[in-house]
Amino acid sequence: MERVVVKRDGTVEKFQMKKLIDAIFSLLDGLDIPDDYEIVFKIAKELDLKIPEKTSTENLDYLVLKAIEHLIPKSLVYDALATRQLLKIINRKIDREFSGFKDYIEYGIKEKLLKPDLKQFDLDLLESKIDYTRDFNLDYFGLSTLRDRYLMKDRNFQIIEKPQWFFMRVALGIGNNEAEVIKIYNKLSNLEYLHSTPTLFNSGTLTNQYSSCYVNVIDDSLESIMEKAREIAFLAKYAGGVGTDITRIRATGSKIHSLNAKSSGIVPFIKIFDSIINAIQQGGRRRSSQVVYLQPWHLDVEAFLDLRETTGNPYFRTPSLNTALWMPDEIMRRIKEGEPLYLFDPAECPELITAYGEKFKTLYSNCIEKAESGQLKLWKKIDSQDFYKRYLFKLAKTGHPWLTFKDRHNQYNPCPDYGVINSSNLCTEISIPNSLDSTAVCTLASVNLARHILESSKQIDWEKLKDTIDIMVVALDNILDKNFYPSEESKKNTYDLRPIGIGVMGFHEALIKLGIPYDSNESVELARQIMSFIKEAAYKKSEELAKERGPFPFYKESYPYPPRRNAVLLAIAPTASISIIAGTSSSIDGYFSNIFSRDTLSGKFIVVNKLLMKELEEKGLWNEELAEKIKAHGGSIQYIQELDSKINKSLYKTAYEISPYRQIDIATAFQEYVDQAVSKSLYIEEDLRDEMDKIYMYAWEKGLKSTYYCFIDKTVKGEKYTLAVNKRGERRGFGLSLEKAAKENSEETKACPTDPILAKLCSSCE
Amino acid sequence: MSLIGKTSVRDNIRITEDSKYPVFRDLYTKQKKAVWFPEELNIQQDVLDYKSLSPTEKDLFDSAVGYFASSELLVQNVLGNGFFPVLTDPYAKMSFSTQMFMENIHSDFFEIILNSFDLDRKSIYDLTLEDDLLKEKQELIVRAVDKITYGKADPDTLEGKKQILTSILLNNIIQEGLFFYSAFAYFFAMKDMGKIKNVVSGVELILIDESLHLQNGIEAILTIVEENPEILDDYSFIERVKQSIVDSVDLELDYLKRKFGGTTIFGLSYKELELYMKYIADRRLVELGFDPQFNVLENPLKFLQKEDVKKLTNFFEVSSTEYTNF
């Protein structure tokens, strides 16, 4: 078969494998690899199958990329090669368009993609600070994610930003002067910390919206509901996730005085938000999202639990909305001690909405008395254990609602006189006072702990960590003044409180580098040590900034703490996307698995635990057979005996293999030093599903403010496609027939001896 | 009593604790746990993706949807009209009727795709009539099943047993375990390229279901063979069973050659798909006790290993397939 390539200028040329092989060899330049021929041969073999009779240069580049990508689980080197090939594809196009960074920035401004004030910086100086070798900090999954969603595109959706230009553009949109920009660029491009996705998307651009989270409150009136619907639409448009407290909305059957009618309850109104969120797609780069929070004493709570069910009456389902419970301590206590729950209409018992702690307990008892003595029209008494079990069943089944603890959040409110904390946000890590006319906003960034390790001494590099935190506080504080606020309410909250949220990622990776198993007391202790250090550094920097720039405007001298620039500074976010860019484990979670696939907007990627692969390769233990074994064990190495005593297997325990109680202990250790909250997903083996009541009770008792998704390992899986077929064991199926036929054949040829003497020796003749 | 035989409506209505065929109890439970509903997936998000597909990509997508849309209820008919009436064991009935229920879900899912993507219903359904090879794929099954429906096959005779076995082979092994797997490959390739991701999330769920249906079929066939060893004496029948798997691979390859010949779609080439089909066919042969015919030792479509490992979904981005309804 003759194969041809159509070149960019339209000419047709005979396909030459040699040319392609040379191109693959050139990817290996600078990588110190002894068996380069073998690697190139493997890639070429993959490719040979893929290349069709007629193809284009561009498609050929792409097929090379795919061929290498498919080999990634086989050895670390393929990840580096795939990254290089992808860089080549990205850069080649951009190099045809732009002479350099400055040229790109000017083009972006001219095309009204970037902010004109970027020109006020010394772009020549900044261009000279760009270090392209830092591209190699990125792994393939990280770079692919950047390419698909983060790198700036022109009006024809063609990428016009190289990865290093991206980091510099983000830094330009944050720093107040060249020195700050360079510092931020250096930290970002070395993946030492990253800003949250909206900041990475919009920094320096005309969209100019940096914040991840907004948290608002809806009052019990049609005016308020419709006004907030409008606010939510605009918050969602600019890539923010919205948390909304709906507890004030009166319950089903509650009186509407102006119409002399009865209310249809919360669900029809929640449906409005479901539709809004579904309509706004954030340009396809991210789905817009909202979570609605309800306190579980609300009379409509039972319908609320069902919102994410996929069957039943569609008018009572909200497939695009997230839900969460804002749980008071008193109700957890009742569940624990088996006392009944009472559900009320907030229109009749409005005093319960903002009360917490002992005060809530007293008011709740008063409401119960009133109910039992016939003074309330709408109420219901239910068994607290039944409710709890039903709730947990829904959580396991639909992933919703999440469980967050109202009193614990409010106990640490830095400005209780500003407002109560009415709810948390989309990812449950925000804890900022808000009110009907003040929508909380939080701007986030996360430090990559795995990049703060002194590899030689296996110690945390505390000095570097302090340096990173200092820059993060300044950068996040800068953003507050540059940010575009989609609503007046959100602007007010920021200008009053100046809240920021510094979180962490790469905790598990850091633990492996330090040689500490995640599932151990040492890791809990280290969590405490790290977070207390981060808190101290961040607070100190914020206090310094207060001297320079003034404390947050709502600060009062009567507060029991010195003036600081920001009312709150710390929040541990899930870092779902940015941990991919940083190539590390997300947030404070354990590695999901040592080999797993990840569905994202960019498609599906296979992720291997690189540290494990590296250690096994260095010790000469890595081979295809072992790789298959790890795959067959669902990405676990705990049961692979041949690794016993060769490596410390406990370092590589995966999320589901770590006891949920330990997961909670670690989250609590972080929470002790986080002024906002920790967004903690729990990973629970199907076998432990019966223990969910204990696990969530433990989370409450230990003092977590928030839990987030509950992942349950699903036991029914599809056919394992690429693994060898299961042996049928004793069952022979049609094989028996073939054996029989074969046997008969052989018996025919070996007929019994006719010689009578020999026949005596023949067993079948006897 | 063996697995298949003549039954009346009064028979086999009591579940016993010690099931005669525990494997069907297991398969019933697994299928129960795998149940999902199309509403769980927000495929509306894929409409823009669909509109941006190239003509060849669109054609491939449409014909895959058309093939599935007209095959899911066909599978159900085969089971309902042909096989279910001769099943004698309560758990086997539960397992196969759960499969029949799941075919509804799949059909419903493709119906929602038709509506959401604004596809022309008639032309999509007519694909299996107008495309000679797609038509032949379906006729292969219909011909065999026509022989056994409405009491035409007597399950108490050897000949009847062979006919019933053949129809299950065609339905659960060849249709669901070979032809469907061909389409799975290019659906998954779409997601691998970041396209039509939510529809493909649904197809991932269908793959889980189909691999259970495949097990249903394999267990039924092996059980019939074990209970009626005289089937094994008919070498030409056994040869025909094997040959029908080999022939269907050829049929599928003809179809793939027409679609993929000389080009790559979603990064897939014909040569890869050819090896892939042979690899899958070998697995089916080995599962039934035959020797592999093609000796393709490794799945050439390496991106499919993404289906074999644990999955983590960015909830804000793609519909998750990891929650369970049970």
Side-chain angles (χ1 to χ4, degrees), chain A residues 260-318:
Chain A
N260 195 26
K262 283 182 176 177
S263 166
S264 52
I266 58 170
V267 175
F269 292 106
I270 301 175
K271 280 292 284 184
I272 298 175
F273 304 130
D274 187 60
S275 304
I276 291 175
I277 287 303
N278 204 16
I280 297 169
Q281 300 282 338
Q282 298 190 352
R285 292 207 289 184
R286 211 179 195 211
R287 267 197 218 173
S288 54
S289 336
Q290 185 185 10
V291 55
V292 288
Y293 277 84
L294 188 76
Q295 295 184 32
W297 51 264
H298 193 291
L299 195 60
D300 287 343
V301 71
E302 287 165 299
F304 187 78
L305 296 185
D306 288 341
L307 287 173
R308 288 296 300 253
E309 283 284 352
T310 47
T311 52
N313 185 345
Y315 289 106
F316 291 84
R317 299 290 175 263
T318 56

Side-chain angles (χ1 to χ4, degrees), chain A residues 1 3 46 48-54 59 62-63 66 69-71 73-74 149 278 281 285-287 289 309-311 319-320 322 393 395-399 402 426-427 576-577 580 592-593 595-606 624 628 631 633-634 654 656 683 685-686 689 708-726 728 731-738 740-741 744, chain B residues 23 29-31 33-34 37 39-40 42 44-45 165 169 181 184-185 188 191-194 197-198 201 204-205 207-208 211-212 214 218-219 221-223 225-226 229 231-235 237-239 241 261-264 266-272 275-276 279-280 283-284 286-291 298-319 321-326:
Chain A
M1 183 182 61
R3 291 191 281 206
E46 285 288 309
D48 195 39
L49 270 182
K50 285 192 163 295
I51 296 167
E53 286 147 39
K54 188 177 173 184
N59 192 40
Y62 173 76
L63 293 177
K66 280 285 156 188
E69 184 196 313
H70 295 155
L71 292 165
K74 295 209 188 290
R149 295 159 54 204
N278 204 16
Q281 300 282 338
R285 292 207 289 184
R286 211 179 195 211
R287 267 197 218 173
S289 336
E309 283 284 352
T310 47
T311 52
S320 305
N322 300 287
F393 177 75
L395 180 66
K397 186 178 170 193
T398 68
W402 309 318
L426 183 62
C427 307
S577 303
I580 296 174
F592 185 68
S593 175
I595 178 161
F596 65 101
S597 70
R598 196 148 175 186
D599 262 354
T600 75
L601 267 187
S602 319
K604 207 166 197 178
F605 288 86
I606 200 140
E624 298 216 354
E628 292 295 299
K631 243 163 78 180
H633 282 93
T654 58
Y656 290 110
Y683 300 84
E685 276 282 358
E686 174 113 6
R689 229 175 114 169
Y708 190 36
Y709 272 99
C710 172
F711 291 92
I712 302 219
D713 200 14
K714 197 174 171 181
T715 45
V716 186
K717 315 259 187 212
E719 176 177 5
K720 287 220 192 286
Y721 237 140
T722 49
L723 295 181
V725 84
N726 300 336
R728 290 227 63 82
R731 307 187 71 173
R732 303 290 305 119
F734 294 111
L736 213 57
S737 172
L738 304 172
K740 234 167 141 184
E744 280 175 19
Chain B
V23 64
T29 309
K30 279 186 180 165
Q31 288 176 94
K33 287 192 177 189
F37 297 96
E39 290 78 5
E40 291 164 36
N42 189 348
Q44 206 59 40
Q45 310 239 353
L165 188 153
L169 177 84
Y181 272 68
F184 288 151
F188 293 154
K191 195 180 207 171
D192 196 48
M193 293 191 65
K197 294 175 292 286
N198 294 288
S201 291
E204 283 166 11
L205 290 167
L207 169 71
I208 296 178
S211 44
L212 293 169
L214 186 64
I218 289 167
E219 292 302 337
I221 290 172
L222 292 178
T223 306
V225 169
E226 280 160 6
I231 291 177
L232 296 175
D233 295 335
D234 184 348
Y235 299 144
F237 173 71
I238 305 299
E239 188 56 30
V241 167
T263 178
T264 51
F266 300 120
L268 287 180
S269 70
Y270 170 73
K271 275 190 289 176
E272 286 176 301
L275 283 180
Y276 163 77
Y279 170 81
I280 295 290
R283 286 174 84 109
R284 302 297 168 249
V286 171
E287 282 160 338
L288 292 170
F290 293 109
D291 290 332
E298 199 185 27
N299 190 335
L301 302 181
K302 298 225 169 44
F303 67 89
L304 291 174
Q305 58 194 336
K306 294 172 190 172
E307 304 304 317
D308 285 356
V309 295
K310 276 193 162 71
K311 247 178 273 175
L312 179 63
T313 305
N314 268 8
F315 288 94
F316 304 129
E317 299 178 352
V318 183
S319 306
T321 58
E322 289 292 283
Y323 281 100
T324 162
N325 280 304
F326 173 72

Side-chain angles (χ1 to χ4, degrees), chain A residues 97-278:
Chain A
E97 307 283 329
F98 301 106
S99 61
F101 176 68
K102 190 177 169 187
D103 190 22
Y104 149 66
I105 293 287
E106 283 166 354
Y107 174 84
I109 292 169
K110 194 183 89 212
E111 285 290 302
K112 297 203 164 38
L113 295 163
L114 299 177
K115 264 195 302 196
D117 12 333
L118 298 189
K119 260 197 262 185
Q120 74 194 19
F121 292 98
D122 182 347
L123 293 175
D124 291 312
L125 171 74
L126 295 176
E127 178 147 20
S128 74
K129 298 292 174 187
I130 290 178
D131 179 353
Y132 291 97
T133 63
R134 290 182 192 161
D135 285 349
F136 303 122
N137 285 329
L138 297 162
D139 65 13
Y140 180 64
F141 189 17
L143 182 62
S144 305
T145 306
L146 282 186
R147 174 202 57 185
D148 288 346
R149 295 159 54 204
Y150 290 82
L151 300 182
M152 177 67 70
K153 296 187 174 73
D154 67 12
R155 298 286 173 190
N156 297 318
F157 301 105
Q158 296 298 309
I159 293 172
I160 52 171
E161 196 172 63
K162 294 185 178 184
Q164 294 306 314
W165 298 358
F166 154 78
F167 289 122
M168 189 56 100
R169 184 256 300 165
V170 173
L172 267 176
I174 298 171
N176 285 340
N177 51 55
E178 281 82 1
E180 277 182 16
V181 171
I182 292 167
K183 264 190 183 171
I184 294 168
Y185 165 75
N186 285 337
K187 287 284 170 189
L188 297 178
S189 57
N190 282 318
L191 306 176
E192 285 164 19
Y193 89 89
L194 285 178
H195 286 273
S196 64
T197 293
T199 305
L200 299 179
F201 277 176
N202 298 331
S203 178
T205 72
L206 282 182
T207 312
N208 213 22
Q209 197 293 117
Y210 297 73
S211 302
S212 308
C213 326
Y214 295 88
V215 188
N216 62 8
V217 185
I218 291 182
D219 205 3
D220 180 34
S221 73
L222 193 56
E223 287 79 5
S224 176
I225 292 170
M226 296 319 291
E227 264 168 37
K228 294 296 171 175
R230 184 187 152 83
E231 187 189 21
I232 287 160
F234 281 95
L235 297 177
K237 174 179 170 184
Y238 293 104
V242 191
T244 301
D245 173 24
I246 56 163
T247 303
R248 286 166 179 74
I249 300 176
R250 73 191 70 181
T252 311
S254 184
K255 257 211 178 124
I256 305 170
H257 286 279
S258 60
L259 296 175
N260 195 26
K262 283 182 176 177
S263 166
S264 52
I266 58 170
V267 175
F269 292 106
I270 301 175
K271 280 292 284 184
I272 298 175
F273 304 130
D274 187 60
S275 304
I276 291 175
I277 287 303
N278 204 16

Side-chain angles (χ1 to χ4, degrees), chain B residues 139-292:
Chain B
E139 281 297 315
L140 196 67
I141 288 126
V142 174
R143 277 195 300 268
V145 176
D146 272 345
K147 287 191 197 139
I148 63 161
T149 41
Y150 304 108
K152 274 182 255 170
D154 181 351
D156 294 339
T157 66
L158 188 60
E159 194 46 39
K161 281 179 178 134
K162 285 183 198 163
Q163 283 172 346
I164 291 164
L165 188 153
T166 307
S167 71
I168 285 302
L169 177 84
L170 287 162
N171 197 55
N172 283 43
I173 315 296
I174 291 178
Q175 172 96 318
E176 295 194 285
L178 273 178
F179 294 161
F180 283 9
Y181 272 68
S182 161
F184 288 151
Y186 40 87
F187 269 118
F188 293 154
M190 293 174 204
K191 195 180 207 171
D192 196 48
M193 293 191 65
K195 288 176 178 167
I196 324 254
K197 294 175 292 286
N198 294 288
V199 166
V200 179
S201 291
V203 177
E204 283 166 11
L205 290 167
I206 294 179
L207 169 71
I208 296 178
D209 299 350
E210 296 303 345
S211 44
L212 293 169
H213 299 170
L214 186 64
Q215 283 180 43
N216 264 342
I218 289 167
E219 292 302 337
I221 290 172
L222 292 178
T223 306
I224 295 172
V225 169
E226 280 160 6
E227 287 178 346
N228 305 281
E230 60 272 32
I231 291 177
L232 296 175
D233 295 335
D234 184 348
Y235 299 144
S236 72
F237 173 71
I238 305 299
E239 188 56 30
R240 280 204 304 279
V241 167
K242 189 179 83 185
Q243 198 54 43
S244 63
I245 294 178
V246 175
D247 290 346
S248 358
V249 173
D250 287 341
L251 183 58
E252 185 62 33
L253 290 182
D254 284 344
Y255 179 70
L256 289 171
K257 200 177 275 162
R258 180 185 295 170
K259 291 280 174 198
F260 286 84
T263 178
T264 51
I265 312 177
F266 300 120
L268 287 180
S269 70
Y270 170 73
K271 275 190 289 176
E272 286 176 301
L273 284 165
E274 179 187 359
L275 283 180
Y276 163 77
M277 281 316 297
K278 290 179 172 172
Y279 170 81
I280 295 290
D282 269 354
R283 286 174 84 109
R284 302 297 168 249
L285 287 164
V286 171
E287 282 160 338
L288 292 170
F290 293 109
D291 290 332

Side-chain angles (χ1 to χ4, degrees), chain A residues 460-472:
Chain A
I460 290 184
D461 189 340
W462 298 106
E463 211 172 300
K464 186 173 171 188
L465 187 56
K466 183 176 180 317
D467 186 48
T468 306
I469 300 297
D470 281 354
I471 293 171
M472 289 170 82

